[in-house]
Amino acid sequence: MSPHFTAHSFHIPVMGLGYTVDTPIKVAKYGISSVISIMDDHLLEDMRKIYSKKYVREFAPIQDTEEDYRAKRITAYLNLTQSIVEEQFNKLANEDWETNTEFRKYLDLLPNGTSLLKLAQKLEGSSESEKFQLREEFKSKLSMGAIDVNIMTKVDKLNSDKEGNELPREYSDALSALRGFAKSNVNGSVVFSAGMNPALYGYAEQFSAFHPNQFGELPKGIILKVSDYRSALIQGKFLAKKGLWVSEFRIESGLNCGGHAFATDGFLIGPILEEFKNNRNELFQTLYETCQKSLENKGVKKLSESPPFKITYQGGIGTATEDSFLRAYYELDGTGWGSPFLLVPEATSVDDDTLERLLKARKSDFYLSYASPLGVPFNNLRISSGEEQRLARIEKNRAGSPCYKKFLSNNTEFTDQPICSASRQYQVLKAKQFAAGVIASEEMDNVLAKDCLCEGLSAPAILAAGETPRRNLTAVTICPGPNLAYFKGTFTLKEMTDHIYGKFSLNVDLERPHVFVKELQLYVAYLKKEFEVKISEKTAKKEAYLEKFRSNLIDGVSYYQKMINSVQVDSEDILQKMKGQFINLKKEIEAFTTLLKPEVA
């Protein structure tokens, strides 16, 4: 976590359980940071076996009969990943640069004008007497990409031993995952997503890896994925009071993202980023003073005077112009590019069949679904093999999935022990309610929409490695953001990074809306559905929610209309089109107000 040269201005966020599980092994040697989900220890164990064989490492399986096997599996996979990446990077940095193709690729992937490229040019033109010193300076600035991990804070099932006795709290899914990371050799950061989990945050306090060393530096960092400033401040202060420093706030669009969609109450990303920009110094100072005071009270080492503190954005970015504008205008430290990398086999693990489906998909095939057992809207692909399997099971009167991993078992409607709402057990019980007239067809449709994400989101990594998933469960669920609908084709890592930096333009649909417009369109569609679902429920609370949402959207559009001439775009035509789109969308939002008026008798 010590300050060093950052090779790239973007990172690759976590995608599903398996799509980025081995991304660091693919891209970290080139200085590109990425995020591994560490929620599925079964998948990590399978991937450790695959990569141990590939890199000729000893593999000793960690059986589920071992005490604390979940944390041990996570630690073992992360240690293997760290070891492989270090080996790759050392080879890249220390072998003959004249013939080293990986070293040349490292340089080719960098953005134009970076200090490292300037130093490389200086090195090439230097005399023999200067080369040694310049070479050492150059090597000191080469850096691996960060190996970060993701814990979805709400996926925190309590666990029991083989006799059915409930284990202590630290053996829950999220806490054991954190322990696995904390005990690993990886010196990256943990990304906490999906909101605050007090038990998890409190548990982080127990690990010295999250506290400053003798130099005031943090061996491992904490990153918060947040949707707005208020959430960042609340969670950041909660952690700071425990002496835990948040090294990065990773802001993500509520709807213009992949995976689970945590919609805000109509707050749009432009005003959200503006609030972070205006309050950045205050946020830093508040958290810094709170954290230092807590560390002082604990009698432990304090933070350095300038600990790492980044604010980044991810969600729906599609062009180099959008990327550079967001970083410059909102003074961001970086951006995240997720779904487009699903089309880059060099960076992510997508099986061939799913890749073909992505390439054939129409815009309407990317949709917000009820597939997640967590009860949170979930970005989905209508033509995935996972969806085909779900529908085929319903057709055969075998709705639901066998439930082996149980990570999303959180429903106690029918049972004392939590079960998953995507499981066959649960769906059979709901079908009996439907047959008895206890629930309506709309509720039953939502139940049947639930899919087994544990298997579907992990299978692609195994399939992409040429292996067969356990129990031959090969159906794949994929959760791309709506932005992916505008990218067609598969791309090399260089093509995608060149696209991000404006050195090369990928084949992106010319009808693709600007990132601000697209998010607003998604929120308008979301609000429309909310009206359709809730307008029949004539309660003051529901109507107040809808009015607040509508009002926030109107404020957001007004913000864009005021600042639109500051927005960098690729052409005047795009700017004029955006102006027209904002006018039309604002009219559409304002029209919703009539639905709030009481019906005339």
Side-chain angles (χ1 to χ4, degrees), residues 81-282:
T81 300
Q82 178 74 25
S83 174
I84 291 171
V85 171
E86 284 180 354
E87 179 182 298
Q88 293 172 333
F89 181 74
N90 288 334
K91 188 175 180 181
L92 178 153
N94 293 310
E95 288 191 356
D96 183 2
W97 292 354
E98 298 294 328
T99 59
N100 190 334
T101 56
E102 292 289 73
F103 173 74
R104 179 52 52 186
K105 187 172 181 178
Y106 185 107
L107 295 182
D108 288 344
L109 292 174
L110 295 173
N112 289 331
T114 185
S115 60
L116 201 58
L117 283 179
K118 292 177 181 176
L119 189 57
Q121 292 170 354
K122 186 177 179 182
L123 183 62
E124 286 180 5
S126 64
S127 64
E128 287 302 317
S129 60
E130 296 173 316
K131 273 188 177 178
F132 178 79
Q133 185 176 345
L134 285 173
R135 185 182 174 96
E136 290 305 304
E137 181 185 351
F138 189 93
K139 284 174 65 175
S140 72
K141 292 187 176 182
L142 284 174
S143 65
M144 302 190 314
I147 303 171
D148 295 329
V149 304
N150 179 255
I151 295 178
M152 195 171 178
T153 59
K154 296 295 190 285
V155 181
D156 193 19
K157 173 177 55 67
L158 300 176
N159 291 307
S160 302
D161 61 21
K162 298 299 181 183
E163 286 71 44
N165 302 311
E166 190 172 288
L167 291 168
R169 186 69 175 86
E170 61 264 29
Y171 290 93
S172 70
D173 284 350
L175 272 66
S176 57
L178 181 63
R179 182 167 60 256
F181 168 66
K183 290 187 173 183
S184 75
N185 298 331
V186 168
N187 60 356
S189 299
V190 58
V191 182
F192 290 134
S193 63
M196 188 159 70
N197 179 336
L200 177 64
Y201 289 6
Y203 188 53
E205 188 180 1
Q206 297 186 22
F207 296 99
S208 60
F210 299 113
H211 292 295
N213 60 20
Q214 65 269 33
F215 305 109
E217 300 167 346
L218 298 163
K220 297 180 192 287
I222 293 174
I223 296 172
L224 289 184
K225 189 191 289 187
V226 295
S227 57
D228 57 43
Y229 181 80
R230 181 175 176 272
S231 174
L233 181 59
I234 291 172
Q235 293 188 70
K237 286 179 72 173
F238 186 93
L239 288 161
K241 287 177 181 178
K242 297 180 179 300
L244 299 171
W245 179 250
V246 177
S247 57
E248 181 180 340
F249 289 97
R250 200 160 275 188
I251 307 158
E252 184 172 71
S253 169
L255 292 179
N256 199 9
C257 61
H260 288 89
F262 296 90
T264 65
D265 289 347
F267 295 108
L268 299 175
I269 199 60
I272 289 170
L273 293 176
E274 186 81 39
E275 189 172 11
F276 272 93
K277 174 183 175 180
N278 293 337
N279 294 290
R280 179 181 182 129
N281 292 337
E282 182 181 345

Side-chain angles (χ1 to χ4, degrees), residues 236-442:
K237 286 179 72 173
F238 186 93
L239 288 161
K241 287 177 181 178
K242 297 180 179 300
L244 299 171
W245 179 250
V246 177
S247 57
E248 181 180 340
F249 289 97
R250 200 160 275 188
I251 307 158
E252 184 172 71
S253 169
L255 292 179
N256 199 9
C257 61
H260 288 89
F262 296 90
T264 65
D265 289 347
F267 295 108
L268 299 175
I269 199 60
I272 289 170
L273 293 176
E274 186 81 39
E275 189 172 11
F276 272 93
K277 174 183 175 180
N278 293 337
N279 294 290
R280 179 181 182 129
N281 292 337
E282 182 181 345
L283 179 63
F284 174 87
Q285 204 60 39
T286 298
L287 299 185
Y288 184 76
E289 290 173 2
T290 304
C291 191
Q292 291 287 48
K293 185 177 180 181
S294 174
L295 291 170
E296 186 177 329
N297 291 338
K298 293 173 186 292
V300 297
K301 298 288 191 302
K302 296 174 72 173
L303 290 165
S304 66
E305 291 184 7
S306 55
F309 184 75
K310 292 184 177 181
I311 295 177
T312 62
Y313 169 72
Q314 59 194 45
I317 308 171
T319 68
T321 305
E322 288 177 358
D323 184 90
S324 61
F325 166 75
L326 288 167
R327 285 188 288 112
Y329 188 84
Y330 294 108
E331 299 172 7
L332 299 173
D333 299 293
T335 54
W337 283 66
S339 296
F341 274 99
L342 292 171
L343 302 177
V344 182
E346 284 180 77
T348 56
S349 288
V350 184
D351 59 289
D352 291 340
D353 175 68
T354 301
L355 198 53
E356 283 298 315
R357 292 170 188 263
L358 285 174
L359 297 177
K360 292 176 183 176
R362 299 166 297 179
K363 292 183 183 67
S364 59
D365 291 323
F366 298 85
Y367 75 113
L368 201 57
S369 74
Y370 294 99
S372 174
L374 291 177
V376 178
F378 182 78
N379 281 294
N380 212 339
L381 181 69
R382 210 178 298 275
I383 60 171
S384 70
S385 56
E387 272 294 281
E388 285 183 357
Q389 176 181 261
R390 182 184 68 82
L391 294 171
R393 285 170 170 170
I394 294 171
E395 185 70 23
K396 296 175 184 175
N397 290 320
R398 295 280 290 166
S401 308
C403 191
Y404 298 110
K405 295 179 178 177
K406 305 185 186 302
F407 294 127
L408 302 181
S409 296
N410 58 12
N411 188 289
T412 54
E413 183 180 350
F414 301 107
T415 57
D416 292 331
Q417 292 296 318
I419 59 175
C420 180
S421 57
S423 68
R424 184 161 296 144
Q425 179 185 4
Y426 178 82
Q427 298 207 0
V428 166
L429 292 168
K430 293 302 285 188
K432 289 178 180 177
Q433 281 190 334
F434 177 66
V438 175
I439 61 173
S441 59
E442 183 180 346

Side-chain angles (χ1 to χ4, degrees), residues 57-94:
R57 308 291 177 88
E58 182 183 354
F59 174 76
I62 299 170
Q63 307 293 348
D64 58 12
T65 52
E66 290 188 37
E67 184 181 355
D68 204 22
Y69 69 89
R70 176 172 162 76
K72 288 178 180 177
R73 286 174 174 173
I74 292 167
T75 301
Y77 180 70
L78 293 178
N79 286 348
L80 176 65
T81 300
Q82 178 74 25
S83 174
I84 291 171
V85 171
E86 284 180 354
E87 179 182 298
Q88 293 172 333
F89 181 74
N90 288 334
K91 188 175 180 181
L92 178 153
N94 293 310

